[in-house]
Amino acid sequence: MAVRYVLRMGHPLLRKKSRPLELAEMEWSNFQLLIKDMFETMEARDGIGLSAPQIARPLCVIVYEIKANERYKNLKTAVEPTVLVNPYIISRSAERNLDWEGCLSLPGLRGEVPRHQWVEIEALDREGNKLQRKIEGFEARVVQHEMDHLNGILFIDRMYNLDKLSYTPEYHRFHAEESSE
Ligand code: NI
């Protein structure tokens, strides 16, 4: 296992579309290594989600684990370690919520981003089994954020305006109480 370098905004690979994984590729040990590296990198950086392109692997793979850590101290939501391969959204709520997000590729920044309140997704799990799931609230936000990375989209692209784009200390000083998480 290894902690990988996380690409930062400005790196062209963060703006590229990732490609879906073939089922056969998921049987390769490289794939399980990729997943391990992604979890280890995410944990080392106190992230709650990570996409493969962020570690320079342009593949449709995201991982997340929602639990309180140094960057997210007061999370109300908790979700077990989850792997989604080739995820896509089948249906989504018309309603969008505004809430605050950060990103390991934009270190030190937080912004208020609109996301669908719920999404129904289809994906493969780490063993290649098809899964279909309706997720909502903060977990839906994390998944939409990570899926955006697979299309070269960063959270600042989704912001309605940049007035509140903040460095982390200013976020905590002026905006933290606006966050529902
Ligand atoms: Ni991100």
Side-chain angles (χ1 to χ4, degrees):
M1 293 214 284
V3 174
R4 300 291 175 189
Y5 179 74
V6 178
L7 306 183
R8 305 202 308 177
M9 180 169 62
H11 197 297
L13 277 184
L14 286 175
R15 294 310 199 166
K16 292 260 181 341
K17 251 177 134 62
S18 292
R19 74 162 175 85
L21 232 69
E22 305 283 340
L23 214 52
E25 291 178 284
M26 294 180 65
E27 286 157 18
W28 299 350
S29 57
N30 275 351
F31 171 71
Q32 295 303 330
L33 266 181
L34 171 68
I35 298 298
K36 281 183 183 159
D37 286 356
M38 287 175 72
F39 275 116
E40 190 159 301
T41 304
M42 183 177 82
E43 271 165 40
R45 297 285 303 275
D46 285 324
I48 51 181
L50 191 72
S51 63
Q54 287 177 281
I55 57 167
R57 302 287 300 277
L59 302 167
C60 290
V61 181
I62 69 174
V63 303
Y64 61 97
E65 179 180 11
I66 304 178
K67 62 173 187 190
N69 61 33
E70 269 305 299
R71 283 175 78 239
Y72 295 91
K73 290 198 170 98
N74 302 307
L75 292 179
K76 297 178 198 106
T77 306
V79 180
E80 296 287 292
T82 303
V83 177
L84 299 179
V85 177
N86 303 344
Y88 73 93
I89 293 174
I90 306 166
S91 61
R92 65 194 92 199
S93 64
E95 190 195 347
R96 287 183 174 89
N97 294 339
L98 270 178
D99 208 347
W100 288 79
E101 295 183 14
C103 179
L104 294 178
S105 294
L106 285 73
L109 287 173
R110 298 283 174 106
E112 200 180 35
V113 185
R115 298 287 184 192
H116 296 283
Q117 151 63 19
W118 60 259
V119 288
E120 193 173 357
I121 54 149
E122 201 170 278
L124 301 174
D125 67 15
R126 66 186 300 166
E127 274 88 41
N129 304 307
K130 197 172 248 187
L131 63 86
Q132 192 175 326
R133 205 179 274 177
K134 186 176 172 181
I135 52 181
E136 58 178 9
F138 191 64
E139 183 180 6
R141 173 170 297 278
V142 170
V143 168
Q144 288 170 81
H145 175 119
E146 300 310 333
M147 284 181 67
D148 268 354
H149 279 299
L150 306 181
N151 288 306
I153 296 168
L154 301 175
F155 79 75
I156 51 165
D157 305 336
R158 297 283 190 195
M159 292 176 71
Y160 288 144
N161 66 64
L162 299 178
D163 293 2
K164 289 199 203 167
L165 184 63
S166 301
Y167 291 107
T168 309
E170 284 74 13
Y171 161 75
H172 284 297
R173 183 169 171 202
F174 298 110
H175 303 295
E177 74 283 354
E178 296 164 13
S179 173
S180 60
E181 273 299 322

